[in-house]
Amino acid sequence: MIREQLLQPTAVELAAFLTRHTRTCDCLIQVAGQAEVTYQGRAASTADAGNYLLILKCDGSLQIHHPKGIKPMNWQPKTDRITATLEDGMCVLTASRTSPTETVRVLMLDIQLAQALEIQEEVGFVIAGTEAQMQATLARHPELIEPGLTVLDRELMSSVGDIDLYAKDAQGRYVVVELKRAKATHDAVHQLSRYVDAVRAKLPKRAKVRGILAAPSITTPAALTLEGLKLEFKEIHALPSAQETAAQGGLF
Amino acid sequence: MIREQLLQPTAVELAAFLTRHTRTCDCLIQVAGQAEVTYQGRAASTADAGNYLLILKCDGSLQIHHPKGIKPMNWQPKTDRITATLEDGMCVLTASRTSPTETVRVLMLDIQLAQALEIQEEVGFVIAGTEAQMQATLARHPELIEPGLTVLDRELMSSVGDIDLYAKDAQGRYVVVELKRAKATHDAVHQLSRYVDAVRAKLPKRAKVRGILAAPSITTPAALTLEGLKLEFKEIHALPSAQETAAQGGLF
DNA sequence: TGTTATATGTCGGGG
DNA sequence: CCCCGACGTATAACA
């Protein structure tokens, strides 16, 4: 699994290593050591010389990690062109892409480690509790939102965006449902509000349109705004707990 | 910089290595090899046995990378508790946190490499082109938005959210400015719209209130909605290009 | 701690 | 390619 490992490579060795592997592009490459990083594109940044960990994946994505946090200090998603060159006797890695136009430049000052790992195969990964699954479940079992509800459409395109669920209630009123897999905020309320407005505008004037925000919970300010707009909230969880599943007769 | 490195460690060696380093917590730890990963928390996921790269940072954050993309396949930001244990003769890494309650569990099947790197010091990092900087620049030079504009407030709190810039134009009309560092979408238009409404509601009825969306560009549908709402768009870039800076007399 | 807003967000889907 | 919205978004600021 370790294809190649260099300890304290010289600039020339490192450049050769990087060029070789970025060409074949069949390994995950890592470089650790002192470097200086600049970025120019959607924004512009510079990082002082320090110890960083670089990761260069097969798909051409680059990330440079500092000691804290999930997010890399600098990065570049799926780069068009990655080149390793020698400048003034030092190895420089440049990762550029167009659309948007941006470049990350890494000046390798004192590299301790460079390695190529065989991490290629994509492997099965499944996730439960996404909004898409919530939507599928509710489309099959709209009674979880409210008895008597009939789903007319999913992902209905309106002029202002896609409506998660479009339905009719027991009394024939149209219902716009906005789903959130996590706690609903102000944002979700306004999203729902503008969908409801769009639907009302399209329907005959006397048609009644309800708006329901379905989420596991809602922030207090958002709940107040929701109330003010005469919209409704319905508690729905993305991941049913064991007891909920039992109570619902195993609908999920 | 390489504090310690193990090649093809046994489960016992690996568990000891992880326990030792997670306790001292002064290194960035990497583990590469075949593993199985499950997550349970805000959602639930499982990843089949495959080759992955684990990174465990000093701050207790964990990320597990697959061969593609910037984002890790699984992760855990700033974990409360990380433990390495032996289960049925295999090393298992568990990273849990509360708030939200979630756990990542890594079953180490066939580990090729474990290493501890000294990447500790935080180092200088500066970035240009953030929205905050945009706001500061425009607050000092409101004429970049429009001649005769006077800024009354920054980050003004309204009932529906914070208004980026609140100003008065040459004719004494109030102006609500919404900033976006990147292309403005529908969302920004509606945000601006509801800010303008909130301001209008607070002012005497005959007071004129304008709304300006300041961004480097805007999507076509958003521009149409904006026009329909009688709101305005002003092209403002987060990162002034060299020529723009010259044209503006070096205001930035 | 809860809520809000930003991000070089990233990523995937649909027209 | 543009547009849109979800994401286990992460992360910092602020009440």
Side-chain angles (χ1 to χ4, degrees):
Chain A
M1 184 187 171
I2 303 180
R3 181 74 67 87
E4 185 177 358
Q5 185 174 60
L6 303 178
L7 295 177
Q8 301 196 334
T10 65
V12 175
E13 287 165 352
L14 182 60
F17 170 89
L18 290 172
T19 304
R20 191 162 62 246
H21 287 288
T22 51
R23 185 134 50 213
T24 55
C25 220
D26 58 352
C27 275
L28 185 152
I29 299 167
Q30 293 188 280
V31 178
Q34 200 184 35
E36 225 176 77
V37 186
T38 56
Y39 161 74
Q40 179 75 241
R42 285 169 288 176
S45 74
T46 60
D48 294 346
N51 284 330
Y52 303 116
L53 172 66
L54 265 84
I55 297 175
L56 195 51
K57 289 189 180 181
C58 316
D59 64 346
S61 64
L62 167 70
Q63 40 194 308
I64 298 145
H65 284 273
H66 54 170
K68 277 182 184 169
I70 297 291
K71 285 182 58 178
M73 174 184 70
N74 285 101
W75 70 91
Q76 188 86 269
K78 248 210 302 203
T79 322
D80 288 331
R81 223 181 57 248
I82 296 191
T83 55
T85 57
L86 285 170
E87 289 183 24
D88 301 330
M90 279 185 296
C91 176
V92 174
L93 182 75
T94 310
S96 313
R97 66 166 176 164
T98 51
S99 165
T101 302
E102 48 189 357
T103 303
V104 173
R105 190 172 178 280
V106 184
L107 175 61
M108 312 283 188
L109 296 171
D110 180 21
I111 299 307
Q112 298 294 313
L113 170 71
Q115 57 193 16
L117 303 177
E118 286 166 15
I119 299 191
Q120 301 166 57
E121 356 47 291
E122 270 299 349
V123 108
F125 181 79
V126 287
I127 188 161
T130 62
E131 194 186 288
Q133 286 170 25
M134 238 174 121
Q135 191 188 107
T137 302
L138 294 176
R140 274 184 301 143
H141 301 288
E143 69 275 10
L144 288 173
I145 302 177
E146 182 180 286
L149 206 67
T150 319
V151 172
L152 303 175
D153 217 327
R154 288 169 60 181
E155 297 284 346
L156 173 66
M157 280 202 319
S158 81
S159 52
V160 289
D162 294 7
I163 294 170
D164 286 340
L165 285 175
Y166 186 53
K168 211 171 224 189
D169 73 5
Q171 284 138 74
R173 291 172 297 191
Y174 290 97
V175 179
V176 174
V177 181
E178 171 64 25
L179 295 180
K180 285 296 165 207
R181 68 164 310 288
K183 181 179 276 204
T185 66
H186 232 149
D187 219 33
V189 176
H190 282 277
Q191 213 174 329
L192 175 61
S193 164
R194 77 184 207 238
Y195 294 157
V196 169
D197 288 347
V199 170
R200 282 203 182 115
K202 273 214 171 176
L203 290 175
K205 250 206 173 139
R206 67 171 154 289
K208 293 275 184 188
V209 182
R210 296 168 57 198
I212 299 182
L213 179 53
S217 60
I218 183 168
T219 64
T220 312
L224 292 173
T225 309
L226 193 78
E227 203 182 336
L229 293 168
K230 301 285 177 207
L231 300 172
E232 303 158 52
F233 174 75
K234 170 68 186 177
E235 187 179 326
I236 298 276
H237 291 263
L239 269 183
S241 71
Q243 61 196 24
E244 276 168 343
T245 308
Q248 286 156 1
L251 286 176
F252 285 89
Chain B
M1 185 186 170
I2 302 180
R3 181 75 67 87
E4 186 178 356
Q5 175 166 323
L6 303 179
L7 294 177
Q8 304 195 331
T10 65
V12 175
E13 287 166 352
L14 182 59
F17 170 89
L18 290 171
T19 303
R20 192 163 60 245
H21 286 289
T22 51
R23 185 135 50 212
T24 55
C25 219
D26 58 351
C27 276
L28 185 152
I29 300 168
Q30 294 194 89
V31 178
Q34 200 185 36
E36 224 177 78
V37 187
T38 56
Y39 161 76
Q40 180 74 241
R42 285 170 288 177
S45 75
T46 59
D48 294 345
N51 284 331
Y52 303 116
L53 172 66
L54 264 84
I55 296 175
L56 195 50
K57 289 190 180 180
C58 316
D59 66 346
S61 64
L62 167 71
Q63 40 194 307
I64 298 146
H65 284 273
H66 54 169
K68 277 182 183 169
I70 296 292
K71 288 181 58 177
M73 174 184 72
N74 284 101
W75 69 93
Q76 190 81 275
K78 247 209 305 204
T79 322
D80 289 330
R81 223 182 57 248
I82 296 192
T83 55
T85 57
L86 284 171
E87 290 183 22
D88 300 331
M90 279 186 295
C91 177
V92 174
L93 182 75
T94 310
S96 313
R97 67 166 175 163
T98 49
S99 167
T101 302
E102 47 188 359
T103 303
V104 174
R105 190 171 179 280
V106 185
L107 175 61
M108 313 282 187
L109 296 171
D110 179 22
I111 300 308
Q112 298 295 312
L113 171 70
Q115 55 194 185
L117 304 176
E118 285 166 17
I119 299 191
Q120 301 166 58
E121 1 41 297
E122 271 298 349
V123 107
F125 181 78
V126 287
I127 187 160
T130 62
E131 195 186 288
Q133 286 169 25
M134 237 175 122
Q135 189 189 106
T137 301
L138 294 176
R140 273 184 301 143
H141 303 287
E143 69 275 10
L144 289 172
I145 301 175
E146 181 180 287
L149 207 66
T150 318
V151 171
L152 302 176
D153 218 327
R154 287 170 60 182
E155 298 281 350
L156 174 65
M157 278 203 320
S158 83
S159 52
V160 288
D162 293 8
I163 294 170
D164 288 337
L165 284 175
Y166 187 53
K168 211 172 225 186
D169 74 4
Q171 283 138 75
R173 291 172 297 191
Y174 290 95
V175 180
V176 174
V177 182
E178 170 65 25
L179 293 180
K180 286 292 166 211
R181 69 165 310 288
K183 180 178 276 204
T185 66
H186 235 137
D187 218 34
V189 175
H190 280 272
Q191 213 173 329
L192 175 61
S193 165
R194 70 186 211 237
Y195 293 158
V196 169
D197 287 347
V199 170
R200 282 203 182 116
K202 274 212 172 177
L203 290 175
K205 236 182 180 167
R206 67 169 148 287
K208 293 276 185 188
V209 181
R210 297 169 55 200
I212 299 182
L213 179 52
S217 61
I218 183 168
T219 65
T220 313
L224 293 173
T225 308
L226 193 78
E227 203 182 337
L229 293 168
K230 300 289 177 203
L231 301 172
E232 302 159 51
F233 174 75
K234 169 67 186 177
E235 187 179 326
I236 298 277
H237 291 263
L239 270 184
S241 71
Q243 61 197 23
E244 276 168 344
T245 308
Q248 286 155 2
L251 285 177
F252 284 91

